[in-house]
Amino acid sequence: MAELIVALDMPEVDAGIRLARSLRGTVRWVKIGLEMFVLGGPQCVATYKDMGFQVFLDLKMYDIPNTVASAVSAAARMGVDMLTLHTQGGEAMCRAARAALEACAGPRPLLFGVTVLTSMGPGDLPAFSGDMGALAVRLAQGAQEWGLDGVVCSGHEVRTIKEACSGLRCLTPGIRPASAAANDQKRVMTPAAAVQAGSDFLVVGRPITRAENPVRAAEDILRDMGS
Ligand code: C5P
């Protein structure tokens, strides 16, 4: 059964907490991204954990192996349930992150690798003019080989990635209900189509955070997902 993750991309810590409070009992997972983590730091991870949420810390790490390994250990000690790095950081960085998580006491968070950002369309990646889907699959194959649990990819790539890398889980942002605006996302998909494609986790931000009634928006998306 696919899981809905609500991206708490909000301009204030308190706004995120208020929204999460209203979503308790409707969704199980929240995502703390760069904006919320810069604003609220480790304390906001603790707040959402105390509220009973599974916490996905989406910092998309990309640095030298030693720095990323130390950062993922610190995130694991905070109690996050899932975190991300960029697969474009390469084999040594991804393997170092996985080894660092193995060495941590306590439950190991899921480690996901970003393939190609869903805001990127053809021509947007510097010095790359090839097929974005093929690049995402190549990066996913690396992710599997280097010990990652899953990849972040567009819904359009889920089927091919699952065929090429059985066992790898897929997390898809760029989810838009049929009636919603795409905003800055370029490779979007409806919740139902993403689930049909085989996605395991659907990340949704603005269609919920900016909805007039966020709880109803989340419920509608869950219904569309068949949950
Ligand atoms: O508001 P929206 O639904 O577009 O939010 C999508 C969320 O997923 C954002 O928090 C964004 O950082 C994240 N994300 C993404 N594309 C990726 C990886 C993460 O949009 N490839």
Side-chain angles (χ1 to χ4, degrees):
M1 178 77 76
E3 291 269 2
L4 172 63
I5 304 179
V6 177
L8 297 173
D9 300 326
M10 319 279 287
E12 286 166 19
V13 174
D14 286 351
I17 293 172
R18 275 197 305 277
L19 177 65
R21 205 170 276 139
S22 72
L23 290 169
R24 237 182 335 186
T26 304
V27 300
R28 286 180 357 107
W29 282 84
V30 292
K31 182 181 94 108
I32 299 176
L34 279 173
E35 183 179 12
M36 189 53 78
F37 197 69
V38 168
L39 288 168
Q43 180 53 49
C44 77
V45 173
T47 303
Y48 294 122
K49 288 298 296 176
D50 288 348
M51 287 166 80
F53 286 104
Q54 300 283 105
V55 173
F56 168 26
L57 184 64
D58 184 25
L59 298 184
K60 302 185 184 66
M61 297 180 193
Y62 188 161
D63 209 316
I64 60 171
N66 181 61
T67 301
V68 170
S70 307
V72 299
S73 299
R77 288 196 298 275
M78 264 178 234
V80 306
D81 301 283
M82 183 191 293
L83 50 89
T84 47
L85 41 66
H86 271 283
T87 54
Q88 290 178 53
E91 176 170 1
M93 189 197 84
C94 292
R95 285 194 189 277
R98 173 66 199 235
L101 289 179
E102 291 300 335
C104 286
R108 181 177 75 73
L110 293 170
L111 183 60
F112 273 65
V114 177
T115 54
V116 181
L117 293 173
T118 43
S119 57
M120 296 271 194
D124 287 340
L125 258 187
F128 180 80
S129 56
D131 179 62
M132 306 283 263
L135 175 63
V137 174
R138 253 201 340 269
L139 291 167
Q141 285 168 324
Q144 185 169 47
E145 212 180 298
W146 308 330
L148 272 54
D149 299 294
V151 288
V152 183
C153 62
S154 121
H156 300 279
E157 286 128 25
V158 172
R159 247 183 252 282
T160 343
I161 286 178
K162 291 244 167 175
E163 274 164 25
C165 318
S166 61
L168 201 62
R169 280 177 263 189
C170 288
L171 180 150
T172 50
I175 300 296
R176 290 291 179 271
S179 57
N183 311 113
D184 56 354
Q185 297 285 13
K186 291 195 178 153
R187 293 175 297 138
V188 299
M189 207 175 234
T190 64
V195 170
Q196 266 160 30
S199 182
D200 302 280
F201 295 94
L202 275 59
V203 174
V204 182
R206 286 160 290 185
I208 293 174
T209 58
R210 296 194 185 168
E212 221 165 276
N213 184 335
V215 177
R216 190 174 313 145
E219 286 168 349
D220 288 347
I221 289 170
L222 284 165
R223 196 169 318 111
D224 199 27
M225 289 168 63
S227 300

